[in-house]
């Protein structure tokens, strides 16, 4: 899953892919560039190899910054997965991988629809 969260607006954009590599990351960046075409986007990345590849094509309205390695609890993006896994798929068995993907898409759609989050 590729996803991006706006800390200012609380919006969530996401894309589920069967693989994580430089071409898929490039597709996600171009997707972000198109849907936010009027905005200049600064994306903070976790430093995955596909984020740093020389072949990665970055759209003109995007800049990428990689943080140095740090514990996942400091990565706000990690909380998206925690939120969905805690509430969307806890202790569930699935018949097939397609059912897992369907559940992920459903949960991410709900998360994306809610731009306000409150700390418990």
């Amino acid at each position: 899953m590729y996803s991006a969260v706006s800390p200012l607006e609380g919006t969530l954009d996401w894309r589920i892919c069967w693989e994580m590599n430089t071409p898929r990351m490039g597709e996600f960046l171009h997707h972000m560039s198109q849907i936010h075409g009027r905005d200049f986007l600064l994306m903070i990345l976790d430093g995955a190899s596909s984020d740093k590849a020389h072949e990665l094509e970055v759209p003109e309205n995007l800049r990428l910054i990689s943080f140095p390695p740090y514990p996942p609890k400091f990565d706000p993006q990690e909380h998206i997965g925690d939120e969905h896994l805690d509430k969307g798929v806890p202790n569930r068995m699935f018949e097939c991988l397609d059912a897992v993907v369907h559940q992920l898409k459903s949960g991410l759609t709900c998360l994306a629809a809610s731009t306000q989050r409150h700390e418990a």
Side-chain angles (χ1 to χ4, degrees):
M1 177 182 82
Y2 291 95
S3 60
V5 177
S6 168
L8 181 63
E9 298 166 346
T11 55
L12 167 66
D13 295 302
W14 56 273
R15 184 176 208 169
I16 294 178
C17 298
W18 290 105
E19 54 192 10
M20 293 188 72
N21 56 30
T22 302
R24 297 302 81 76
M25 178 63 171
E27 290 170 4
F28 180 68
L29 294 179
H30 285 282
H31 171 74
M32 293 296 297
S33 174
Q34 289 176 351
I35 63 174
H36 298 284
R38 294 183 176 186
D39 300 319
F40 179 81
L41 305 174
L42 177 64
M43 295 183 78
I44 301 171
L45 307 173
D46 62 6
S49 60
S50 62
D51 301 346
K52 300 183 268 185
H54 294 290
E55 303 85 32
L56 183 62
E57 294 181 22
V58 180
E60 288 293 318
N61 66 328
L62 273 149
R63 292 298 173 271
L64 307 179
I65 296 177
S66 290
F67 274 150
Y70 55 92
K73 71 178 184 175
F74 295 119
D75 181 354
Q77 191 65 7
E78 293 290 330
H79 299 291
I80 297 298
D82 293 344
E83 173 85 6
H84 182 57
L85 291 175
D86 288 347
K87 295 179 180 166
V89 291
N91 301 318
R92 285 195 57 193
M93 297 287 290
F94 294 93
E95 294 291 323
C96 62
L97 186 56
D98 286 339
V100 176
V101 171
H102 175 76
Q103 183 66 34
L104 285 172
K105 287 180 179 180
S106 175
L108 288 167
T109 300
C110 289
L111 281 174
S114 174
T115 58
Q116 294 184 356
R117 299 276 176 257
H118 302 284
E119 292 290 323

